[in-house]
Amino acid sequence: MSMPAPAHGAAVAHAPESFWSRYVFSTDHKVIGLQYMFTGMAMALIGGFMAYVFRMQLAFPGQSVPLYGLVTAREYNALITNHGSIMIFWVSMPVLIAGLGNFLIPLMIGCDDMVFPRLNRLSYQIFFVSVVIILISLVVPGGGFGGAWTAYPPLSASAHYNHTPWGAPLWLLAVALEFVAFLLGGINFTVTVMNARAPGMTAMRIPIVVWMIVIASLVFMGSVGPLIAGAVMLFLDQTVGTQFFDPKAGGDPLLWQHLFWFFGHPEVYVVLLPATGVVAEVLTVFARKKLFAYKTILGTAIATGIISFFVWAHHQFVAGIDPRMAHLFTITTLLISIPVAEMLFAFIATLYGGSIEFATPMLWALAFIAEFLIGGVTGIFLGANATDIYLHDTYFVVAHFHYTFFPIAIIGTFAAITYWFPKMFGRRMSETLGKIHFWGTVIPFNLIFIPLFLTGVAGQHRRIYSYENFPQLSTPWLNHLAVIATVALIVMLAFQVVFLVNFFWSMRHGEEVGANPWNANTLEWAAPSPPPHGNFVTMPAVYRGPYEYGVPDRDLDYWPQHVPNQEELPRA
Amino acid sequence: MSHAADVRAHVPIATGRSATGIPTARLAVWWVLASEIVIFGGLIGSYVMLRLHHPHWAEEASHTNTVAGAFNTFVLLTSSLAAVLAHQAAEARNGPRAARFLGLTILGGLVFLMVKSFEWSNEIAHGFTIFRDVFWSYYYVTCGLHGLHVIVGMVIMGIVAADARRGRNLHRVELIGIYWHFVDAVWIFLFPLFYIAK
């Protein structure tokens, strides 16, 4: 990463100098944001490789996987477990919340840094330790934890059942540390946005993406506590031998499911909200039109956050919960689709009548709406208890889940990276490579998961190592679909090379840009690209909302937040 | 970039701002407590739900030492009073006096922990270990997590008191006080749940 060497007089050598203090132990929010982002991207490569290995096993069972070798049943379990855990806890969370939040919040609210820069650094350091632990857990004796990312006891509670005496506790420890890191980060984000806003940055002038990250942080803060308590109990069950979740000693395995999903479902919205925030920013800039219904979008986000606390048991329809309770959770689950749908309608209305430019970030943002819609609509079948009982734990669930998380964690992230790349590094990414990468990702993505909807409806269960043991579910047609999905995955992974080349090449050799290459309004574009230590040359004040595009009677079609009313910008 | 710009960049601006009018540090403490409430809430909620389904837990609970628990409640509440007085002294810019009251609060924490270790060693000696029953698992884990908060509070309070004695960072006296009241409030829930309800 290329932060410019801050120019300074001999008397004021405050700026951190050495490589270590500038890039590793920095308290600068931008550096920490990029640390999170790069760590998340590295973990995404590991998670992607795991998907490749177990998809190969599913398509060509029992054959040696190139670059890996033979996949044993135990390894298969460890691979799917850690693929899920890594992609959610070590990719989506660090990139979408911690990475973007750190990089964007101080810039977008017009400030020099977070209110607690050292706490911020501590948050990344704890996160980094959790990364090291989860990676170590993959290679300890007995192998990585294989009890699925939901870690249901009694399987997860005792090495006697899961055969991973080291993998299971280390997995749990890593997850718990990761929670602590994001709790610290979330508190920092929330307090920063509450208190450190630039003069004039009233609540209704805060860009939507900042609102979304704060709401997501609060939802995380409100939902993760019970799971931290549950993690303590499970850890004691695993290591000391208590019996919180052991039914034969009076414990209750269902309790873990409740504690897990009380966090686990809001977690979906914790990562969804920042991604929709990114989409809102990108849509309005590339449609050159004011964001439709700012307050409504904000209201839908808050409503989503609140309702998300009341839907968790829809994951447990087959766990023997009271059918009357199942009905209640079906209703709340159907209810939560209302605010989310409303948000998407507001995005579509933003596009209506705009002068749309199909730049790479815009393509990603539009793809987000289209793909997430499929994820949302298929979710209705799983949220309704009657259909869920049939579809539970089939590939239909896997496909639905990836139609929500892929748009969030991958499409949303690429929208963010391609949009803010000029701000991060002062250079543009290649549009041509960007578009090749876009189509090379989105088309194969659909080819991976549409077949899985079909195999799921046909009855294929998501946790089967080899369907050769289940002749009824190993028909030529279903095997064919599995091969299509696997080939599509390989194609998609191969196209990520295009992104990596584009990213690292553009970082050094891309076209240099000024402060505001997209003619956008929000404050981060008032800072130099890349912003120096301290962000702004003159600290900005705010005069209007963030989405004043195409205002009638103005020469320019945009109106930056920091430009006083009388003053016009020079023509770009 | 000019000399002036560079200096400006290095006087932290974020930390000094207060758009809400509430001091940043106090806001942060409130959010920390909010996240703590749900952690304890998860434990206490699980305990209550399970207890409703396990009538025999009442029999187990009859072996906890109500007198010791009541005494500890008294000690902890009194130590919170000292924390309030420390805050009052800090408001009056009287650092040494604030430090003395914080010392009293730490002393309260110490007495609390001593009673606690007496209780626990007694119970363990009589076979009421963490493995005996899930009730005891909850008892040790919930009270243990609370005890951990007492210890952490005492350590931080020691640092704040050492600062306050020299008249430094007096605003932190209030912050550690808020935290201590929270630790107190958690105990107010634990005492009836584990010591009174039998």
Side-chain angles (χ1 to χ4, degrees):
Chain A
M1 69 199 91
S2 61
M3 292 291 159
H8 47 69
V12 281
H14 302 285
E17 283 302 303
S18 80
F19 171 82
W20 288 95
S21 56
R22 263 175 75 182
Y23 296 130
V24 181
F25 295 108
S26 172
T27 54
D28 189 312
H29 71 99
K30 299 181 291 294
V31 178
I32 295 172
L34 291 175
Q35 285 174 336
Y36 267 117
M37 203 170 284
F38 279 103
T39 315
M41 281 162 60
M43 293 303 276
L45 294 178
I46 297 173
F49 178 74
M50 289 173 161
Y52 154 77
V53 176
F54 66 70
R55 277 309 318 173
M56 287 297 281
Q57 159 63 23
L58 287 166
F60 312 105
Q63 293 178 32
S64 178
V65 176
L67 301 176
Y68 185 86
L70 276 176
V71 185
T72 65
R74 193 182 291 180
E75 283 168 10
Y76 175 86
N77 287 341
L79 285 168
I80 57 162
T81 300
N82 286 287
H83 166 76
S85 313
I86 285 176
M87 287 304 200
I88 289 170
F89 295 131
W90 285 279
V91 178
S92 312
M93 294 285 289
V95 172
L96 278 168
I97 305 215
L100 286 182
N102 267 310
F103 190 86
L104 293 178
I105 286 176
L107 281 167
M108 289 187 112
I109 63 170
C111 194
D112 61 334
D113 206 329
M114 291 286 171
V115 286
F116 300 113
R118 282 183 297 168
L119 187 71
N120 210 12
R121 180 177 58 185
L122 180 68
S123 152
Y124 177 75
Q125 287 167 340
I126 294 176
F127 172 74
F128 187 78
V129 172
S130 81
V131 168
V132 172
I133 293 178
I134 191 71
L135 293 179
I136 288 176
S137 87
L138 300 175
V139 293
V140 289
F145 177 54
W149 82 285
T150 50
Y152 281 3
L155 180 62
S156 61
S158 161
H160 188 64
Y161 305 131
N162 58 41
H163 303 295
T164 49
W166 291 95
L170 283 177
W171 177 89
L172 192 61
L173 186 66
V175 171
L177 281 177
E178 196 257 13
F179 290 160
V180 173
F182 288 131
L183 267 183
L184 294 179
I187 290 169
N188 207 352
F189 291 176
T190 309
V191 178
T192 302
V193 174
M194 286 177 81
N195 256 0
R197 282 170 279 144
M201 181 64 88
T202 55
M204 292 300 133
R205 288 175 177 173
I206 297 175
I208 283 288
V209 69
V210 174
W211 264 117
M212 292 293 189
I213 292 172
V214 170
I215 295 170
S217 301
L218 293 179
V219 171
F220 180 78
M221 197 191 285
S223 62
V224 80
L227 186 54
I228 292 180
V232 171
M233 294 187 238
L234 186 57
F235 193 74
L236 288 173
D237 272 15
Q238 289 172 340
T239 55
V240 179
T242 53
Q243 286 136 338
F244 284 106
F245 301 115
D246 188 347
K248 82 171 179 293
D252 188 354
L254 254 188
L255 172 66
W256 169 266
Q257 298 189 17
H258 284 292
L259 296 175
F260 183 86
W261 288 114
F262 184 80
F263 160 78
H265 204 86
E267 167 71 7
V268 176
Y269 299 96
V270 168
V271 286
L272 167 67
L273 292 177
T276 57
V278 169
V279 169
E281 302 299 326
V282 172
L283 285 182
T284 167
V285 168
F286 293 95
R288 312 308 297 166
K289 195 164 157 254
K290 190 169 180 159
L291 185 69
F292 185 83
Y294 174 99
K295 285 186 183 168
T296 307
I297 290 177
L298 185 56
T300 59
I302 294 171
T304 308
I306 292 172
I307 303 174
S308 75
F309 283 92
F310 302 98
V311 299
W312 80 88
H314 68 214
H315 295 271
Q316 299 164 252
F317 288 152
V318 299
I321 64 171
D322 190 324
R324 288 164 298 182
M325 196 159 93
H327 284 313
L328 279 181
F329 279 95
T330 299
I331 293 167
T332 54
T333 306
L334 297 184
L335 278 179
I336 202 169
S337 58
I338 296 173
V340 179
E342 198 173 346
M343 194 187 295
L344 293 184
F345 283 134
F347 290 165
I348 294 168
T350 303
L351 296 172
Y352 181 77
S355 18
I356 294 173
E357 184 199 337
F358 289 104
T360 314
M362 184 62 159
L363 290 177
W364 288 113
L366 295 172
F368 174 90
I369 296 178
E371 305 288 9
F372 187 79
L373 210 61
I374 301 177
V377 169
T378 51
I380 304 281
F381 298 95
L382 301 172
N385 52 355
T387 38
D388 178 71
I389 287 170
Y390 175 71
L391 293 169
H392 192 92
D393 262 355
T394 64
Y395 272 99
F396 189 90
V397 178
V398 176
H400 152 73
F401 175 86
H402 284 83
Y403 262 102
T404 58
F405 256 74
F406 190 90
I408 293 170
I410 308 296
I411 295 182
T413 298
F414 281 136
I417 290 179
T418 48
Y419 178 58
W420 279 292
F421 188 91
K423 184 52 61 188
M424 290 171 180
F425 305 106
R427 292 171 188 274
R428 242 186 238 281
M429 289 176 88
S430 155
E431 278 288 308
T432 316
L433 288 180
K435 281 173 183 158
I436 293 173
H437 170 236
F438 171 78
W439 292 110
T441 303
V442 168
I443 295 172
F445 160 67
N446 288 286
L447 291 177
I448 300 169
F449 291 105
I450 288 174
L452 295 191
F453 278 124
L454 302 176
T455 62
V457 172
Q460 279 203 341
H461 188 275
R462 66 191 283 196
R463 302 200 202 281
I464 302 295
Y465 157 65
S466 165
Y467 274 97
E468 285 178 328
N469 305 327
F470 300 86
Q472 306 92 318
L473 290 174
S474 184
T475 62
W477 164 240
L478 291 177
N479 290 343
H480 207 65
L481 290 173
V483 172
I484 293 176
T486 303
V487 171
L489 172 74
I490 294 168
V491 172
M492 189 181 85
L493 288 176
F495 269 98
Q496 304 316 305
V497 175
V498 179
F499 171 77
L500 291 175
V501 168
N502 191 1
F503 188 92
F504 289 105
W505 186 84
S506 304
M507 223 160 97
R508 297 236 169 270
H509 309 289
E511 179 203 338
E512 285 196 52
V513 293
N516 192 0
W518 306 117
N519 293 341
N521 284 344
T522 40
L523 287 182
E524 79 272 28
W525 303 106
S529 303
H533 198 61
N535 292 346
F536 296 94
V537 180
T538 24
M539 293 311 282
V542 173
Y543 299 92
R544 66 189 61 76
Y547 303 115
E548 299 299 324
Y549 294 98
V551 177
D553 306 327
R554 274 179 55 80
D555 291 346
L556 292 169
D557 76 336
Y558 63 112
W559 203 354
Q561 286 190 280
H562 67 284
V563 175
N565 288 335
Q566 306 309 323
E567 193 181 314
E568 278 298 340
L569 276 181
R571 288 246 183 209
Chain B
M1 203 180 297
S2 72
H3 180 130
D6 217 33
V7 171
R8 188 168 52 232
H10 288 87
V11 176
I13 296 166
T15 315
R17 280 185 178 163
S18 181
T20 56
I22 305 169
T24 298
R26 199 195 295 160
L27 262 184
V29 172
W30 282 117
W31 284 119
V32 169
L33 298 189
S35 64
E36 295 261 26
I37 286 173
V38 277
I39 297 178
F40 279 105
L43 269 176
I44 294 173
S46 312
Y47 167 75
V48 171
M49 291 303 284
L50 285 180
R51 176 140 185 186
L52 292 176
H53 290 100
H54 293 88
H56 78 273
W57 282 19
E59 159 62 21
E60 299 292 335
S62 70
H63 296 291
T64 56
N65 190 335
T66 313
V67 177
F71 177 72
N72 257 350
T73 311
F74 172 75
V75 169
L76 215 51
L77 286 175
T78 313
S79 73
S80 252
L81 173 69
V84 173
L85 294 173
H87 176 209
Q88 205 178 33
E91 294 276 273
R93 317 294 310 159
N94 189 340
R97 188 176 155 83
R100 277 198 298 281
F101 278 119
L102 285 183
L104 267 180
T105 316
I106 296 175
L107 189 69
L110 209 60
V111 173
F112 178 89
L113 290 175
M114 276 159 60
V115 173
K116 201 93 223 171
S117 46
F118 157 77
E119 267 181 77
W120 281 20
S121 42
N122 217 359
E123 279 151 5
I124 292 169
H126 286 85
F128 299 109
T129 64
I130 195 168
F131 307 110
R132 181 186 153 98
D133 188 274
V134 177
F135 169 83
W136 292 98
S137 306
Y138 272 101
Y139 171 78
Y140 285 108
V141 168
T142 314
C143 296
L145 188 67
H146 176 262
L148 206 63
H149 280 75
V150 172
I151 294 170
V152 169
M154 284 163 62
V155 171
I156 298 175
M157 208 173 280
I159 298 167
V160 172
D163 264 5
R165 213 159 59 83
R166 300 189 194 85
R168 285 201 298 245
N169 289 324
L170 283 176
H171 69 286
R172 290 184 180 168
V173 174
E174 180 197 1
L175 305 178
I176 190 63
I178 297 174
Y179 171 86
W180 195 257
H181 298 327
F182 168 77
V183 172
D184 218 358
V186 171
W187 181 253
I188 300 287
F189 281 91
L190 300 191
F191 176 55
L193 284 172
F194 287 101
Y195 291 83
I196 298 181
K198 294 188 166 168

